[in-house]
Amino acid sequence: MTREDGSGAIGIGAMHCLLPEDRVAVTDLPEFTQLGHEELQFVEKCGVRTVGVFTETEQAALAAQACRELLAEHPVDPDILLMVGPRSPDVLLGSDVCRVQAENKMDSAFAFSVDGLGCTGSSAAWALARDLLVADPGRESVMITHTSRPTGADRIRFPVTVVGDGAYAMTMVRGGRPVLRGHRQETDGSFNDLFRVDYKQTPWYEWREECLDLSRYTFELATHSQFRLSRLVDRVLAEAGVGKDAVATTLMQNVAASAFGFYTSLLELPIHDVCLAQLTEYGHLGAMDVVLNLDRLLATGELSEGDLVLVLNNSPVAAWAVTLWEV
């Protein structure tokens, strides 16, 4: 979707989400038959019914396609190309983001990646894009892209979610809408090794994501997330000079169905149903979730110019971000 008003504010120029036509029921995934009792209960309750699956497995190729399709509809010569790092890069020592640049002939753009933040990467990227445009009046646009694919062969990430495929491209520009009204983010480095994949000792098709401490994920990180997101929401709204009653709706990443009700109750901000709809159909798309949800929300036409949308985002890294958009 495109938003333009000619103002000096910085916001979204265009968004394009690339999703697979083919979807697979979670119960038909190869690893489903190998799940234990606890894992089966998790799958039943997480809210994901199907996941989208691409035949193309190279993440840079999918990101390049998303950029190419966006540029076909909304031509722009970005000053910066910013890739939100995937769960695992296509190449070591090479550059996935420079491949995207080359395939789309963005010769004048400076290309780099934002990595190490998991799902929160897209929120950090659009805030960084805004800051880069503010810092240099000579810059006009920043393109952001990301691809969601599972780390290895398995898509069921117990005890977190079920991973689907997707890719997106979006631009941040001067005069774009929705306007980025406020943003805050935090990280806690003590959780840096809570999840890991032993990729050096095993071939890719045997990669398995491990949670090194299930209770730490379920209780300690969850408690941190409650506190951090509550504080960030209060801070972002206070800095924008508005209260919770001014927020038209709230979005967040799509990890598990239970999270939507939990954060609605905790923050007293109802999470829009568009989030659950995307989770059910496409699964968790990592850093793409919040972009897809915002794009789908704007496509409904239910918001009016000036409405405020709050976007929450967090990841097991752990990283948290809250963004306030004005439609």
Side-chain angles (χ1 to χ4, degrees), residues 19 24 59 123 152 275-276 303:
L19 293 164
V24 177
Q59 294 163 117
S123 297
C275 301
L276 178 59
L303 298 178

Side-chain angles (χ1 to χ4, degrees), residues 40-301:
L40 286 170
Q41 285 188 319
F42 157 74
V43 170
E44 175 63 28
K45 295 178 181 178
C46 74
V48 182
R49 294 294 170 261
T50 60
V51 291
V53 177
F54 281 126
T55 55
E56 170 63 69
T57 59
E58 289 193 319
Q59 294 163 117
L62 291 166
Q65 181 181 343
C67 291
R68 184 164 57 252
E69 292 178 1
L70 181 144
L71 290 169
E73 294 292 326
H74 309 284
V76 66
D77 187 14
D79 300 287
I80 293 169
L81 172 64
L82 200 167
M83 173 180 274
V84 179
R87 294 179 179 88
S88 57
D90 288 335
V91 294
L92 295 176
L93 295 183
S95 176
D96 292 349
V97 67
C98 286
R99 175 181 172 183
V100 175
Q101 178 188 31
E103 290 196 9
N104 285 282
K105 297 180 173 58
M106 301 180 198
D107 299 331
S108 61
F110 178 72
F112 67 100
S113 296
V114 171
D115 205 357
L117 297 175
C119 312
T120 313
S122 288
S123 297
W126 61 41
L128 177 59
R130 188 270 308 270
D131 291 348
L132 289 168
L133 292 174
V134 169
D136 186 347
R139 298 185 182 120
E140 294 296 331
S141 65
V142 177
M143 178 169 283
I144 305 169
T145 189
H146 171 71
T147 299
S148 168
R149 290 269 304 153
T151 305
D154 291 352
R155 294 179 179 275
I156 297 174
R157 292 178 58 199
F158 175 79
V160 185
T161 190
V162 183
V163 175
D165 292 350
Y168 79 81
M170 64 180 288
T171 55
M172 293 288 290
V173 301
R174 302 182 189 281
R177 298 194 75 92
V179 174
L180 201 161
R181 280 279 305 273
H183 178 88
R184 287 290 170 182
Q185 58 196 32
E186 296 180 357
T187 57
D188 185 339
S190 66
F191 291 93
N192 71 88
D193 61 349
L194 184 58
F195 288 86
R196 64 171 57 184
V197 174
D198 180 11
Y199 75 95
K200 290 187 176 181
Q201 304 300 321
T202 56
W204 75 268
Y205 49 83
E206 293 181 3
W207 287 356
R208 297 293 182 272
E209 183 176 303
E210 299 177 79
C211 178
L212 301 188
D213 189 334
L214 182 59
S215 63
R216 192 164 188 234
Y217 170 75
T218 306
F219 298 107
E220 187 178 349
L221 181 57
T223 301
H224 272 266
S225 294
Q226 295 174 41
F227 171 74
R228 298 276 190 147
L229 285 175
S230 295
R231 184 174 67 186
L232 288 171
V233 166
D234 290 343
R235 187 173 179 184
V236 166
L237 294 180
E239 290 174 350
V242 299
K244 290 182 178 180
D245 58 342
V247 176
T249 194
T250 303
L251 303 173
M252 61 180 292
Q253 82 276 20
N254 310 330
V255 177
S258 59
F260 303 134
F262 176 79
Y263 281 104
T264 292
S265 176
L266 173 70
L267 302 173
E268 298 179 333
L269 289 165
I271 306 299
H272 197 283
D273 290 342
V274 72
C275 301
L276 178 59
Q278 306 313 311
L279 173 72
T280 301
E281 186 172 2
Y282 294 106
H284 174 51
L285 303 181
M288 180 175 172
D289 279 342
V290 290
V291 177
L292 176 63
N293 291 342
L294 183 58
D295 184 60
R296 292 293 190 263
L297 173 64
L298 295 173
T300 66

